[in-house]
Amino acid sequence: MSHETDWERPLEQRAKIVVERLNAWYGPVHAIHDISLTILDRRITAVIGPSGCGKSTLLRCLNRMHEVQPGARAQGEVLLNGENIYASGVDPVTVRRRVGMVFQRPNPFPTMSVFDNVAAGLKLHSLLSRTRFADTVERALRRAALWDEVKDKLKKNGAALSGGQQQRLCIARALAVEPEVLLMDEPASALDPMATLAIEDLMRELVQDTTIVIVTHNMQQAARVSDKTAFLLANAQGAGELIEYGDTPQVFTNPKDERTEAYITGRFG
Amino acid sequence: MIGQYTRRKVTNYLMLTLCGLATLAAIAILLLVVGYTAVNGLPYLNLEFITQTARPLGEPGGGMRNEIIGTLILVGLASAIGLPVGLLAGSFLAEYGDGRVGTAVRLVADVLTGVPSVVIGIFVYIIMVRSMGTFSALSGGVALAIIMLPIVARTTEEMMRLIPATYREAALALGISRWRTIISVVIPGAMTGIVTGSMLAVARITGETAPLIFTALGNRFGFSGLLNPIAAMPLQIWRYATSAYDTWHQQAWAASFLLVIFVLFINISVRWLTARRYGYTR
Amino acid sequence: MVAMTGYLLESAWPAITRLGVEFLTRVEWDPVQGIFGALPGIYGTLLTSVLAMAIAIPVSLGVAIFLAELAPNWLRGPASLLVEMLAAVPSVVIGLWGLFVMVPVIRSPIERWLGQSLGFLPFFQGPPFGVGFLAGGLILAIMALPILTAIARDSILAVPSSQREAMLALGATRWEAISQAVLPYARSGIVAAAMLGFGRALGETMAVTMVIGNGYRLTPQLFSPGNTMASKIAIEFNEASGDLYIGALVELGLVLFAITLVVNLLGRIMIRWMAPGQRVGAQQ
């Protein structure tokens, strides 16, 4: 199925994740308030907004990582392929298996080799017999555009790579279990410009067959890589609300809400 | 795949439950020890126990007055030696401890913490008891002082390092000498920490038994000078416990209960003090 | 330290010269004949300490994991406090409790049951005395537990949450995240805890002395009364007469000192050796 025909399908068929009236708290602090939006299949959705607007929280609610922190909870619906991942009886472990995540700072496992880092998820799920790990690890590293740089040091410590390589290693680690959705929380904020560009190129490659949601504070980055952009802003109580959501060119060139315009033109944030 | 997923879930719950059970077991042991000590010791812990000396075997009653006094003297002696020396060593480490000498002193203090107390007892036996020709309260105090030394030194050092450098610099900038700065600015600031460290050290040595076997020895009669053997509660608990007589066992339990109450009281008040002073919640 | 070693050496000298290297390998201990062998003491010390670690390491890891990872906030403080208070109870009190409360339970049902069901193993043969190596190992496990737990807990708490989250985000269960990301990251701290706990167990005296039964044998039977170096010294020192006898006990103390020193130093070296993982991790 090519891109073009894909665009023409009705919205509800192309929806990968539908968020319905999502609220999240850290203890007594209301972090996001009543957010609803639809994330399209095999598209890059960028979530932007000033710091403290709840964009990371929103992202972490999409694979139930939010609740990992002490005192954190969420309410509302997140439909992944039409199934509510917050329904009772849904095991977050199976959700996270399908919705992978890349964090703000590269976090390879320092006690594992490059190979074992990528294979960590495979081992958890015993998806393959051990002899076939090698193929999958290689494929994941190739998709993360890291293979050529590390193919000779697969046995070296994963934390001995450069920062940009570490982050791509983390992407490879997430890709190895072949998630349907990849969540990226400011994946390039700790990297230099060259490494950032490499990650952005990589995202355009990956989105051919996965869905990507990226949180970024860098508006140029959002404009460069994403198809859809969501703008979040904290309300008077400090809880993040969705101000505007639309196609990226429209949001950046012709925002409907004046607060969006103020933010993207750099008047605050 | 389903089977494998179920197995992972079961392993998860099983291991997490085991961790909880381990914690329960550890806490249960403490409660059992304290509980048994209370149940067995409390009935015999009365005024007589504190004010009377031991009666001959077969006669009921009697107490541990000599042992209690002996322990107080020993702990007092040890503190008189160990606290100032530990304080000085700790101040030295905090202020000048970054050089080679400091590293060496710190290493020695750490290694000293790891030396079994029985070895320290033998050491003091050799340097003091043998050369002086008699077991003595003094040698017991010295042995206990050596045990408390590294504890006091390291807490003092850590607490003094917590004092912001700006305080120090302010005092130094006024032309106050370094040692006066330490005495008038750093030590008062670190006081709570130093006091709590010293309290912990005292609690630790109050129950120490092994080194006293080689130094204080024990003494059935009352206190008779620092250069003579002296009685001590922990020693007497050991002797009574390994005896064959029920009345002595009862005395051992009562003395143990007294020790446990004292030690737990110090430890818990130290917690309370540090929690208030430093907002230490863990 | 140097003075300590020196004085110990000097005092043990009559024994060292008279008893020679055989002191370390001889099994008999007969003050009347002037024959002294340290081997059963060394064996007893190592056996009880290894036994203690075999029990205490898994238990304290469980406690540390619970306190650092699982316990709700309101429970964490009080539970930690209670576990740490166990370290404050004087050794002699633990010994008293061990002798009158734990030992009867060990004799029956524990040793009786072990003897009946696993009696084909050499460890579980022989009459159930109650006092003996098994009791000594258990009491040492109890005494090593708090320090093991405290250090392991602190090193688990020091693991950055990004490590935990990385594993969870791959679809790991909580236990998998702990066992595959958190514990490996904290391993140098855990090894340090084990070494420190082991060192503590080796030198612990009073509680062991009270429950180990004062035997002096080289036997695999865990129910058998035995002695550690420390307990042997504590029990016999005041009765010892003559330079040779006292010298032999001091030499025993010297051996104990040397072994604890080696264990503590090994611990430090192992920590340094293990450090790369920790160091690289710290950069993140």
Side-chain angles (χ1 to χ4, degrees), chain C residues 126-185:
Chain C
F129 282 102
V131 291
F133 291 121
L134 183 62
L138 271 172
I139 213 92
L140 284 180
I142 291 174
M143 304 206 63
L145 192 72
I147 184 166
L148 274 170
T149 304
I151 302 175
R153 182 201 60 196
D154 287 350
S155 48
I156 290 174
L157 281 173
V159 176
S161 59
S162 67
Q163 290 287 313
R164 227 162 265 129
E165 294 189 344
M167 202 47 105
L168 286 174
L170 288 172
T173 62
R174 271 175 110 178
W175 170 250
E176 284 163 346
I178 291 167
S179 63
Q180 293 177 41
V182 176
L183 294 186
Y185 194 96

Side-chain angles (χ1 to χ4, degrees), chain C residues 10-277:
Chain C
E10 185 235 301
S11 182
W13 201 248
I16 293 173
T17 47
R18 291 264 298 279
L19 300 171
V21 189
E22 281 182 16
F23 180 74
L24 294 176
T25 56
R26 207 182 267 271
V27 179
E28 300 86 15
W29 184 276
D30 188 345
V32 183
Q33 309 263 340
I35 301 173
F36 298 98
L39 195 57
I42 299 173
Y43 172 76
T45 296
L46 292 178
L47 177 62
T48 48
S49 295
V50 168
L51 207 58
M53 287 302 110
I55 301 162
I57 290 175
V59 174
S60 60
L61 256 186
V63 180
I65 290 170
F66 181 82
L67 294 178
E69 297 275 328
L70 309 176
N73 276 334
W74 60 268
L75 186 61
R76 182 170 296 161
S80 295
L81 180 75
L82 284 175
V83 175
E84 278 164 36
M85 283 305 111
L86 195 54
V89 178
S91 170
V92 72
V93 176
I94 302 251
L96 181 75
W97 177 82
L99 184 58
F100 289 109
V101 181
M102 190 186 79
V103 162
V105 177
I106 289 181
R107 181 163 49 232
S108 168
I110 294 179
E111 287 187 348
R112 202 167 293 276
W113 180 79
L114 282 172
Q116 278 164 5
S117 52
L118 296 167
F120 55 90
L121 293 169
F123 314 111
F124 303 120
Q125 285 164 3
F129 282 102
V131 291
F133 291 121
L134 183 62
L138 271 172
I139 213 92
L140 284 180
I142 291 174
M143 304 206 63
L145 192 72
I147 184 166
L148 274 170
T149 304
I151 302 175
R153 182 201 60 196
D154 287 350
S155 48
I156 290 174
L157 281 173
V159 176
S161 59
S162 67
Q163 290 287 313
R164 227 162 265 129
E165 294 189 344
M167 202 47 105
L168 286 174
L170 288 172
T173 62
R174 271 175 110 178
W175 170 250
E176 284 163 346
I178 291 167
S179 63
Q180 293 177 41
V182 176
L183 294 186
Y185 194 96
R187 66 185 174 182
S188 67
I190 292 167
V191 171
M195 296 305 285
L196 270 172
F198 191 59
R200 176 93 26 127
L202 288 173
E204 174 48 47
T205 312
M206 292 324 294
V208 188
T209 306
M210 292 165 84
V211 300
I212 200 165
N214 196 14
Y216 206 62
R217 296 176 59 195
L218 211 53
T219 167
Q221 297 175 3
L222 297 181
F223 306 162
S224 160
N227 246 325
T228 66
M229 286 183 276
S231 67
K232 188 82 179 163
I233 300 170
I235 289 171
E236 297 192 3
F237 202 84
N238 288 340
E239 305 157 5
S241 52
D243 276 356
L244 184 65
Y245 194 177
I246 291 181
L249 287 170
V250 174
E251 194 180 349
L252 209 52
L254 207 57
V255 175
L256 173 62
F257 184 36
I259 292 179
T260 49
L261 215 59
V262 168
V263 167
N264 281 332
L265 286 176
L266 261 183
R268 275 163 203 280
I269 293 169
M270 282 176 86
I271 293 163
R272 192 161 295 186
W273 188 48
M274 288 268 189

Side-chain angles (χ1 to χ4, degrees), chain B residues 8 12 23 130 256 263 271, chain C residues 11 66 84 88 96 171 175-176:
Chain B
R8 287 176 59 205
N12 182 43
T23 313
R130 268 230 307 227
S256 291
V263 163
R271 280 319 166 89
Chain C
S11 182
F66 181 82
E84 278 164 36
L96 181 75
W175 170 250
E176 284 163 346

